[in-house]
Amino acid sequence: MLNRIILIGRLTRDPELRYTPQGVPVASFSLAVDRPFANQQGQREADFIDCVAWRKLGETVGNHLTKGRLVAVEGRLQIRSYEAQDGTKRKVAEVIADSVRFLDRPRDGQVPGSPADVGMTDDVAFPDDLPF
Amino acid sequence: MLNRIILIGRLTRDPELRYTPQGVPVASFSLAVDRPFANQQGQREADFIDCVAWRKLGETVGNHLTKGRLVAVEGRLQIRSYEAQDGTKRKVAEVIADSVRFLDRPRDGQVPGSPADVGMTDDVAFPDDLPF
Amino acid sequence: MLNRIILIGRLTRDPELRYTPQGVPVASFSLAVDRPFANQQGQREADFIDCVAWRKLGETVGNHLTKGRLVAVEGRLQIRSYEAQDGTKRKVAEVIADSVRFLDRPRDGQVPGSPADVGMTDDVAFPDDLPF
Amino acid sequence: MLNRIILIGRLTRDPELRYTPQGVPVASFSLAVDRPFANQQGQREADFIDCVAWRKLGETVGNHLTKGRLVAVEGRLQIRSYEAQDGTKRKVAEVIADSVRFLDRPRDGQVPGSPADVGMTDDVAFPDDLPF
DNA sequence: TTTT
DNA sequence: TTTT
């Protein structure tokens, strides 16, 4: 009935922007989110969280974000279940973003024209999770 | 750097309460969280989200919650990566709860003595609002 | 750049549904949200938080919610500053809701036809804070 | 029963660090949080939100943050009611922070030794994710 | 009293 | 496959 997640982290690689057969843009990216404490070996680990952005938000993400950029993502956690080729059940967990804010400025010469310190929001109400 | 998730949903089955070798209680449970819209067949789907509660919160969950109960869970999303027996990489996504609130009353004869409409929090509760 | 609040609480009174001169519906309501700990006298206090819902969501709130109902509200915290008649500066803090979920069923004979256990979301993207 | 707010914004001035008569540190600061849309005059407004941090978190805030710094604050919204000298009822809304993360680096020569890109949390940090 |  |  309520499913809300807010993350701040850095992109582990450049986003991938693709299009559905119907031409709907969808960007995939992965965030490294540092855990708030050290593990038993005294190291600070991170969670690597897959995110998806659809439509206009997806295009903004795909066109302006790059590996290493710091962002705040708001969305919901979606769990998809499927059967693998070997017949075992698998699950995919991903955050369906409805807002992505850029929290640092791009490094020089990275993405010309990228909107520094600007956020994008996806307020249009569509089914954000076509099975693509 | 920030990882916060808030869910409202119903337990898909009774929680499992176990103990680490060191005797630390840990409860596992799964929530069905209805999606906010219908899919293309007009049906309302749900995400089935695995949750974990440690220590005192784990015991409360294990002792007082049952299948079907409505709860609000606050926590963080944790992704664990591991290698399966067949050598493939797998991931486990689970919400590490630091607060679980009970939003309905148990059905009659369910769990004698369960604290209806009562929440439990993993945090130490300081009066953060002395009138200073 | 990011402003997100999630509350679970009970309405302290019936909501007030009004309309702007342009006919836009807006519902005002107040939530009692129990604090997570007891104060120094051992009593559990609550925060009384003013909320506002616009348009279709406002009508749903105004038509289906009543004093005492348990709800989950998602929105943003808005602070309006103004000058009182005596020339002093005052502030109004209110939560602009973009989603309200009903977490209990109405008491018998309360609101005929009210959608029990149903949530409403306001996904349309408008300026949610006309100075009304 | 649940009261969670997450903000990203900039300090409108240097924080004030004070101490209760019992010696408990408490820092007050105010955040400018840009609204996600423009008003009817096409200008982007901000909400100015008062925040409070207690104890160790308060000291970190008081000692390391300065006007203009970008932070993420997690906490709860607290409403205090009181009677003014003229007999009228007033309310104070403030966010009681339990985590403050620094999202930019201090400007040169600002606060020597300040922990750049480091967050502080009020919570006790248990390894909530023993591999069990 | 308002930040970039 | 992992970010600063």
Side-chain angles (χ1 to χ4, degrees):
Chain A
M1 314 199 46
L2 185 149
N3 180 340
R4 196 85 199 157
I5 184 166
I6 300 179
L7 303 171
I8 298 180
R10 291 186 185 276
L11 275 81
T12 62
R13 54 178 190 279
D14 290 348
E16 279 177 48
L17 178 56
R18 298 204 256 176
Y19 294 84
T20 65
Q22 298 83 180
V24 182
V26 51
S28 303
F29 58 106
S30 165
L31 281 190
V33 181
D34 291 326
R35 294 190 181 160
F37 47 78
N39 66 11
Q40 279 147 326
Q41 288 78 250
Q43 299 146 195
R44 202 113 166 282
E45 291 175 271
D47 290 292
F48 297 96
I49 302 179
D50 291 323
C51 300
V52 173
W54 287 88
R55 291 178 297 284
K56 194 155 69 82
L57 180 63
E59 290 194 309
T60 307
V61 162
N63 292 330
H64 295 297
L65 284 179
T66 49
K67 175 176 174 172
R69 293 291 307 275
L70 183 69
V71 295
V73 169
E74 263 196 276
R76 63 187 176 80
L77 174 60
Q78 180 175 272
I79 309 287
R80 274 185 296 141
S81 297
Y82 68 96
E83 196 160 308
Q85 277 110 312
D86 61 359
T88 59
K89 308 264 186 237
R90 306 281 176 83
K91 287 176 183 179
V92 172
E94 47 199 7
V95 170
I96 310 301
D98 43 50
S99 153
V100 177
R101 312 225 155 244
F102 305 173
L103 296 176
D104 57 5
R105 344 197 101 250
R107 305 253 206 92
D108 251 17
Q110 276 264 46
V111 181
S114 86
D117 208 27
V118 161
M120 277 302 303
T121 299
D122 173 27
D123 291 308
V124 197
F126 282 109
D128 251 314
D129 53 352
L130 316 184
F132 181 38
Chain B
M1 312 204 43
L2 187 149
N3 181 337
R4 196 82 199 160
I5 184 166
I6 299 179
L7 303 170
I8 297 181
R10 292 188 185 276
L11 276 80
T12 61
R13 53 177 192 279
D14 290 348
E16 279 178 47
L17 178 55
R18 297 205 258 176
Y19 294 84
T20 66
Q22 300 83 179
V24 181
V26 52
S28 302
F29 58 106
S30 166
L31 281 190
V33 181
D34 290 328
R35 294 190 182 160
F37 46 78
N39 65 13
Q40 278 146 326
Q41 290 79 251
Q43 300 145 195
R44 201 114 166 284
E45 292 175 272
D47 290 292
F48 296 95
I49 301 180
D50 292 322
C51 300
V52 172
W54 288 86
R55 291 181 294 281
K56 194 154 71 80
L57 180 63
E59 289 193 308
T60 307
V61 162
N63 293 329
H64 295 298
L65 285 179
T66 49
K67 177 178 174 170
R69 294 291 306 275
L70 182 70
V71 295
V73 169
E74 264 195 275
R76 63 188 177 80
L77 174 60
Q78 179 175 272
I79 308 287
R80 275 186 295 141
S81 297
Y82 67 97
E83 196 160 309
Q85 276 111 313
D86 61 359
T88 58
K89 308 270 188 229
R90 306 280 177 82
K91 286 176 183 182
V92 172
E94 48 200 5
V95 170
I96 310 300
D98 43 51
S99 153
V100 178
R101 312 227 156 244
F102 304 173
L103 295 175
D104 57 4
R105 345 198 99 248
R107 305 254 204 90
D108 251 18
Q110 276 265 48
V111 180
S114 87
D117 208 27
V118 160
M120 276 302 303
T121 299
D122 193 24
D123 299 330
V124 192
F126 288 107
D128 249 316
D129 51 350
L130 316 185
F132 182 73
Chain C
M1 313 201 45
L2 186 149
N3 180 339
R4 196 83 198 157
I5 185 166
I6 300 179
L7 303 171
I8 297 181
R10 292 187 185 277
L11 275 81
T12 61
R13 53 178 192 278
D14 291 348
E16 280 177 48
L17 177 56
R18 299 204 257 177
Y19 294 83
T20 65
Q22 299 83 181
V24 182
V26 51
S28 303
F29 57 106
S30 166
L31 281 190
V33 182
D34 291 326
R35 294 190 181 161
F37 47 77
N39 65 12
Q40 278 147 327
Q41 289 78 250
Q43 299 145 196
R44 200 112 168 283
E45 292 174 90
D47 290 292
F48 296 95
I49 301 180
D50 292 323
C51 300
V52 173
W54 287 86
R55 293 178 296 283
K56 194 156 69 81
L57 180 63
E59 289 193 309
T60 307
V61 162
N63 292 330
H64 295 297
L65 285 178
T66 48
K67 176 177 173 170
R69 293 291 306 275
L70 183 68
V71 294
V73 169
E74 264 195 275
R76 64 187 176 79
L77 174 60
Q78 179 174 273
I79 308 287
R80 274 186 296 142
S81 297
Y82 67 97
E83 196 160 309
Q85 277 110 313
D86 61 358
T88 59
K89 307 267 188 234
R90 305 281 177 83
K91 288 177 184 179
V92 171
E94 47 200 5
V95 170
I96 310 301
D98 43 49
S99 154
V100 177
R101 312 225 156 244
F102 304 174
L103 297 175
D104 57 5
R105 344 197 100 248
R107 305 254 205 91
D108 252 17
Q110 276 263 49
V111 180
S114 87
D117 207 28
V118 161
M120 276 303 302
T121 300
D122 173 27
D123 289 309
V124 197
F126 281 110
D128 250 315
D129 52 353
L130 317 185
F132 182 40
Chain D
M1 313 205 42
L2 186 149
N3 180 338
R4 197 82 199 158
I5 185 167
I6 299 179
L7 303 171
I8 296 180
R10 291 186 185 276
L11 275 80
T12 61
R13 53 177 193 279
D14 291 348
E16 280 179 47
L17 178 56
R18 299 205 256 176
Y19 294 84
T20 65
Q22 299 83 179
V24 182
V26 52
S28 303
F29 58 107
S30 167
L31 281 190
V33 181
D34 291 326
R35 294 190 182 160
F37 46 78
N39 65 15
Q40 278 146 327
Q41 289 80 250
Q43 301 146 193
R44 201 113 167 284
E45 291 175 273
D47 290 292
F48 297 95
I49 302 180
D50 292 322
C51 301
V52 173
W54 287 87
R55 294 180 294 281
K56 194 155 70 79
L57 181 63
E59 289 193 308
T60 306
V61 162
N63 292 329
H64 295 296
L65 286 179
T66 49
K67 176 176 173 169
R69 294 291 305 276
L70 182 69
V71 295
V73 169
E74 265 195 273
R76 64 186 177 79
L77 175 59
Q78 178 174 273
I79 308 288
R80 274 186 295 142
S81 296
Y82 67 97
E83 196 159 308
Q85 276 111 312
D86 61 0
T88 59
K89 308 268 187 232
R90 306 280 177 83
K91 287 176 182 181
V92 172
E94 48 200 4
V95 170
I96 310 300
D98 43 50
S99 153
V100 177
R101 312 227 154 241
F102 304 174
L103 296 175
D104 58 4
R105 347 197 98 250
R107 305 254 204 90
D108 250 19
Q110 276 267 48
V111 180
S114 87
D117 208 27
V118 161
M120 276 302 304
T121 300
D122 193 23
D123 298 330
V124 192
F126 287 107
D128 249 315
D129 52 350
L130 314 185
F132 180 65

